[in-house]
């Protein structure tokens, strides 16, 4: 009895359904792919795209935060500084890595490496995959806010190209702390949010059950963020998500990074800094040029300066 | 350390109010700015509903309701004015407007204030009061942290101008993790609640209660995160003294124009 025809037919149907499903993932579905336990982590991508890799450690101030991995390596013979959030590949590893939630020491380690990179001429590649910066006593006492703030400011002065890729979860300030860049890429099933859908639901809808609604409302997926002019490119994942074929996902990542890097390497440092500044300067949607109802300004301190003949300051 | 003598009688009244309650932006600006010198900036700049966001109410409606209720168009007032004879560029956040949350308008107004101060070489003072980023604007809100920090890089690091941040009750989340903690001098008001992650989130993460007084200004001071804790009533005077100290430097290098 030969069932090969029926088997092939079933296989064909399976492939078709899989294509259909993964072809149009909803934001909620993409969120679960971004958080999938087998989604390739930072180190897995590194090992797939680099020829040489050397991990470097420590903040030189008492700590080596395992939630952030840093090191130097080559892609197609060209050297880069790599910095990324590292999730664990199983529970034991996750506990060791603190679920990729860095403390202030992690951000300070990252900054040390970024300055080192600038000093020696390594372009910087950062990889974001964190639920957020760690919310703990020690972290607060040691200046979690300050460490992130410092990185945000300093990254705008680093005179080497910076490309950030969101490979999983982009958890708010914890992500942005290594994410001020010349080009922002996102793997197609990754997400970037200012607050987790669960947190947002609890605060705005007053129930964690509203998380799916919050996911849709906040527009956290790669394609939505390209529309909002926050993200520069969506990197395709193999059908079924990166966890289905990690090697292909890494190769797509490598191709996109090297393509953008080629353009960035043509720029001199001053132009780089100007472009990086402009990239973030344009983000934001405000209304102006419309005089507001005076009721909406009654508690503002009114202008009372009487400068002889001078016009009010004009903004450029 | 700056030793300030003050009458205990005067202080205790203010202390009662000042330490534990937030203060609206008008009440802050009024006493700090010399009469007839205030020029507001970007008064009509407000956030757009960039995500067409709707939770239990549309963001657009929420904005209008907040504007009607508070008499403010947004959560920050910016401008320039003289304070004790020195021209400064202050920005004062207001917790009453949607919890002082930072969205596009707050981000844009503060960025422009910094850019203006850079152009005119003015000292910058940002009074912080915020529950964090404005969730209704999603990741666009988050990016305001980077936008402001970028302007501060040019202002502080390249132009070497003086930025003083004043952290008030409460200063949390994205404001703490960006311009709040980037002051050349960081002043906090007594008993101000200053945090990155909120108390409840920490307790959920750790599964245990947080010690009393944990994220108050005094605790941050003990941990080396602040320069000064100054009673509200004395801030104007302290800012004058600081401004004086920084302008009397004998070895001022010429500014490098980038």
């Amino acid at each position: 009895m030969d069932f090969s025809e029926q088997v092939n037919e079933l296989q064909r149907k399976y492939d078709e359904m899989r294509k259909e499903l993964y072809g149009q993932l909803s934001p909620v579905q993409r969120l679960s792919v971004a958080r999938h336990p087998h989604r390739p982590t930072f180190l897995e991508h590194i090992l797939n795209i680099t020829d040489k890799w050397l991990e470097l450690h420590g903040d030189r101030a008492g700590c080596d935060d395992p939630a952030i991995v840093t090191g130097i390596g080559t892609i197609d013979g060209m050297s880069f500084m790599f910095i990324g959030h590292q999730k664990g590949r199983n529970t034991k590893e996750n506990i060791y890595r603190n679920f990729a939630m860095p403390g202030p020491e992690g951000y300070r380690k990252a900054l040390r490496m970024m300055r080192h990179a600038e000093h020696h001429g390594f372009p910087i590649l950062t990889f974001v995959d964190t639920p957020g910066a760690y919310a703990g006593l020690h972290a607060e006492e040691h200046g979690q806010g300050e460490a992130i703030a410092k990185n945000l400011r300093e990254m705008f002065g680093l005179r080497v190209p910076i490309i950030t890729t969101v490979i999983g979860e982009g958890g708010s300030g914890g992500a942005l702390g290594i994410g001020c860049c010349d080009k922002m890429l996102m793997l197609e099933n990754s997400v970037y949010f200012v607050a987790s859908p669960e947190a947002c639901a609890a605060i705005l809808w007053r129930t964690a059950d509203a998380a799916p609604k919050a996911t849709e409302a906040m527009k956290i997926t790669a394609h939505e963020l390209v529309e909002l002019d926050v993200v520069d490119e969506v990197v395709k994942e193999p059908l079924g998500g990166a966890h289905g074929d990690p090697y292909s996902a890494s190769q797509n990542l490598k191709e996109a990074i090297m393509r953008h890097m080629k353009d960035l390497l043509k720029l001199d440092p001053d132009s780089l800094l100007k472009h990086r500044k402009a990239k973030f300067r344009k983000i934001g949607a405000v209304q102006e040029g419309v005089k507001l109802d005076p009721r909406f300004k009654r508690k503002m301190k009114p202008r009372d300066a009487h400068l002889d003949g001078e016009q009010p300051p004009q903004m450029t | 350390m700056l030793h300030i003598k003050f009458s205990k009688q005067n202080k205790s009244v203010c202390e009662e109010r000042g330490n534990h309650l937030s203060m609206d932006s008008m009440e802050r600006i009024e006493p700090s700015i010399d009469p007839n010198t205030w020029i507001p900036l970007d008064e009509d700049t407000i956030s757009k509903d960039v995500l067409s966001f709707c939770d239990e109410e549309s963001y657009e409606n929420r904005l209008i309701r907040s504007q009607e209720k508070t008499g403010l168009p947004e959560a920050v007032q910016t401008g320039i004015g003289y304070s004790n004879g020195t021209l400064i560029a202050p920005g004062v956040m207001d917790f009453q407007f949607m919890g002082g949350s930072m969205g596009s308008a707050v981000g844009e107004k503060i960025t422009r204030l910094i850019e203006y101060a850079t152009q005119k070489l003015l000292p910058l003072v940002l009074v912080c009061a915020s529950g964090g980023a404005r969730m209704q604007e999603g990741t666009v809100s988050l990016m305001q942290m980077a936008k402001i920090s970028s302007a501060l890089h040019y202002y502080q690091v390249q132009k070497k101008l003086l930025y003083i941040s004043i952290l008030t009750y409460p200063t949390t989340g994205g404001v703490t993790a960006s311009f709040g903690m980037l002051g050349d001098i960081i002043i906090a008001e007594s008993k101000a609640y200053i945090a990155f992650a909120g108390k409840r989130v920490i307790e959920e993460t750790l599964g245990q209660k947080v010690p009393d007084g944990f994220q108050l200004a005094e605790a941050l001071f003990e941990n080396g995160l602040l320069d000064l804790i100054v009673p509200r009533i004395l801030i104007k005077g302290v800012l004058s003294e600081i401004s004086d100290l920084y302008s009397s430097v004998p070895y001022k290098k010429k500014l490098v124009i980038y």
Side-chain angles (χ1 to χ4, degrees):
Chain A
M1 299 269 264
D2 181 19
F3 290 107
S4 56
E5 220 184 277
Q6 286 94 320
V7 169
N8 287 338
E9 177 61 24
L10 284 172
Q11 181 67 47
R12 199 188 55 79
K13 272 209 178 121
Y14 171 76
D15 288 338
E16 217 176 276
M17 286 194 71
R18 202 157 163 265
K19 213 175 185 178
E20 214 182 286
L21 172 70
Y22 278 99
Q24 320 158 14
L25 289 180
S26 70
V28 173
Q29 288 168 322
R30 291 202 195 265
L31 175 62
S32 40
V33 177
R35 289 169 165 172
H36 196 282
H38 298 142
R39 189 167 177 77
T41 62
F42 169 54
L43 276 173
E44 285 163 88
H45 284 300
I46 291 298
L47 298 176
N48 280 337
I49 67 178
T50 56
D51 331 304
K52 299 185 186 180
W53 163 248
L54 178 68
E55 189 175 342
L56 299 175
H57 292 263
D59 64 359
R60 299 269 170 94
C63 186
D64 182 30
D65 193 335
I68 288 193
V69 168
T70 56
I72 50 182
T74 59
I75 300 177
D76 293 342
M78 194 179 279
S79 292
F80 299 99
M81 170 64 74
F82 295 85
I83 296 170
H85 300 103
Q86 180 61 31
K87 282 189 175 160
R89 284 158 290 193
N90 52 56
T91 309
K92 186 165 168 217
E93 238 184 76
N94 256 322
I95 291 172
Y96 168 66
R97 295 285 180 195
N98 203 24
F99 297 85
M101 294 188 290
E105 303 86 355
Y107 296 104
R108 292 175 183 141
K109 169 167 128 174
L111 184 59
R112 173 173 103 71
M113 297 297 171
M114 291 192 276
R115 288 192 169 136
H116 180 94
E118 181 192 43
H119 180 81
H120 289 284
F122 291 89
I124 298 167
L125 302 178
T126 74
F127 296 81
V128 167
D129 188 14
T130 177
Y134 189 60
L137 295 179
H138 177 102
E140 289 285 319
E141 284 166 353
H142 286 74
Q144 182 75 296
E146 193 273 346
I148 292 172
K150 190 58 71 65
N151 281 21
L152 296 188
R153 189 184 66 194
E154 297 305 297
M155 286 186 87
F156 284 98
L158 294 171
R159 300 170 76 79
V160 284
I162 306 175
I163 296 179
T164 297
T165 310
V166 184
I167 57 172
E169 279 181 283
S172 199
L176 195 60
I178 59 167
C180 296
C181 56
D182 299 307
K183 290 287 175 190
M184 180 133 39
L185 314 179
M186 274 181 83
L187 280 178
E188 85 174 279
N189 293 310
S190 58
V191 292
Y192 204 164
F193 46 73
V194 68
S196 73
E198 293 74 22
C200 181
I203 296 170
L204 295 183
W205 278 267
R206 276 172 286 206
T207 166
D209 293 338
K213 282 197 204 143
T215 307
E216 301 264 350
M218 286 202 295
K219 307 221 164 118
I220 64 177
T221 65
H223 294 99
E224 290 170 310
L225 289 170
V226 166
E227 303 248 314
L228 289 168
D229 217 10
V230 170
V231 167
D232 296 296
E233 184 176 321
V234 178
V235 178
K236 285 212 86 48
E237 291 184 32
L239 196 66
H243 59 278
D245 185 355
Y247 187 76
S248 291
S250 301
Q251 295 315 304
N252 292 351
L253 196 54
K254 172 178 160 180
E255 186 279 325
I257 289 174
M258 292 308 279
R259 182 171 22 92
H260 285 282
M261 185 57 67
K262 195 158 157 245
D263 290 333
L264 292 174
L265 287 172
K266 296 179 185 150
L267 298 176
D268 63 277
D270 286 336
S271 303
L272 262 183
L273 294 192
K274 228 169 78 178
H275 281 119
R276 193 176 305 156
K277 187 174 183 185
K279 175 182 161 57
F280 286 86
R281 183 65 187 84
K282 66 171 162 41
I283 302 179
V286 296
Q287 171 193 296
E288 38 192 4
V290 178
K291 275 263 174 263
L292 294 179
D293 187 332
R295 280 182 304 141
F296 298 171
K297 294 175 13 181
R298 64 186 191 272
K299 291 301 281 290
M300 290 189 86
K301 181 171 167 65
R303 182 196 164 134
D304 62 11
H306 301 293
L307 306 167
D308 302 325
E310 202 187 330
Q311 294 300 309
Q314 295 299 320
M315 293 311 302
T316 50
Chain B
M1 259 181 54
L2 204 57
H3 284 285
I4 304 161
K5 291 198 177 132
F6 51 81
S7 143
K8 198 137 199 219
Q9 230 170 359
N10 280 348
K11 270 297 300 106
S12 46
V13 174
C14 247
E15 209 150 73
E16 223 57 75
R17 270 193 76 219
N19 290 348
H20 303 281
L21 300 175
S22 55
M23 191 187 214
D24 71 47
S25 44
M26 179 71 120
E27 285 180 328
R28 282 190 189 281
I29 301 176
E30 263 310 307
S32 312
I33 299 293
D34 302 341
N36 301 320
T37 66
W38 177 248
I39 298 179
L41 298 172
D42 303 307
E43 298 168 274
D44 299 298
T45 300
I46 57 173
S47 269
K48 275 200 201 148
D49 186 5
V50 66
L51 304 182
S52 304
F53 192 95
C54 189
D55 50 270
E56 292 173 338
E57 184 181 5
S58 78
Y59 179 41
E60 214 180 308
N61 279 356
R62 244 188 235 280
L63 277 173
I64 294 173
R65 266 203 311 115
S66 302
Q67 287 160 348
E68 269 169 357
K69 174 165 161 248
T70 63
L72 295 168
E74 254 299 337
V76 71
Q77 293 194 51
T78 55
I80 56 169
Y82 282 85
S83 185
N84 280 350
T86 308
L87 190 58
I88 62 169
V92 182
M93 295 189 77
D94 202 313
F95 190 73
Q96 286 183 60
F97 192 97
M98 296 189 74
S101 52
M102 175 164 67
S104 299
V106 171
E108 188 62 30
K109 287 176 78 163
I110 291 179
T111 303
R112 288 186 190 171
L113 181 70
I114 299 170
E115 288 169 342
Y116 188 78
T118 310
Q119 229 180 54
K120 304 287 185 188
L121 307 179
L122 302 177
L124 174 74
V125 179
L126 293 178
V127 179
C128 306
S130 176
R134 191 162 301 170
M135 283 189 272
Q136 291 90 339
E137 293 185 40
T139 314
V140 173
S141 279
L142 179 68
M143 295 301 153
Q144 302 308 304
M145 291 169 63
K147 183 162 124 183
I148 293 174
S149 303
S150 166
L152 281 176
H153 187 278
Y154 192 62
Y155 178 85
Q156 290 179 286
V157 179
Q158 295 185 52
K159 296 293 225 171
K160 301 196 201 306
L161 295 162
L162 179 68
Y163 160 41
I164 299 171
S165 60
I166 301 178
L167 310 182
T168 72
Y169 184 98
T171 300
T172 65
V175 168
T176 307
S178 62
F179 59 93
M181 295 304 291
L182 287 177
D184 290 293
I185 295 198
I186 303 177
I187 299 175
E189 291 190 332
S190 183
K191 301 275 195 334
Y193 179 77
I194 301 161
F196 170 65
K199 185 159 167 274
R200 207 152 22 123
V201 177
I202 300 177
E203 287 178 343
E204 266 168 33
T205 308
L206 302 178
Q208 62 182 93
K209 279 235 158 273
V210 142
D212 274 336
F214 173 58
Q215 285 161 312
L216 297 185
E218 286 71 12
L220 267 79
F221 184 78
E222 291 297 310
N223 288 321
L225 298 170
L226 311 170
D227 288 287
L228 296 167
I229 296 182
V230 177
R232 193 173 279 172
I233 198 175
L234 297 168
I235 290 254
K236 186 182 186 188
V238 167
L239 289 179
S240 279
E241 296 293 340
I242 291 176
S243 180
D244 227 30
L245 283 162
Y246 280 80
S247 50
S248 307
V249 289
Y251 201 77
K252 196 172 207 152
K253 293 187 174 126
K254 290 224 169 74
L255 286 176
V256 179
I257 310 296
Y258 276 75

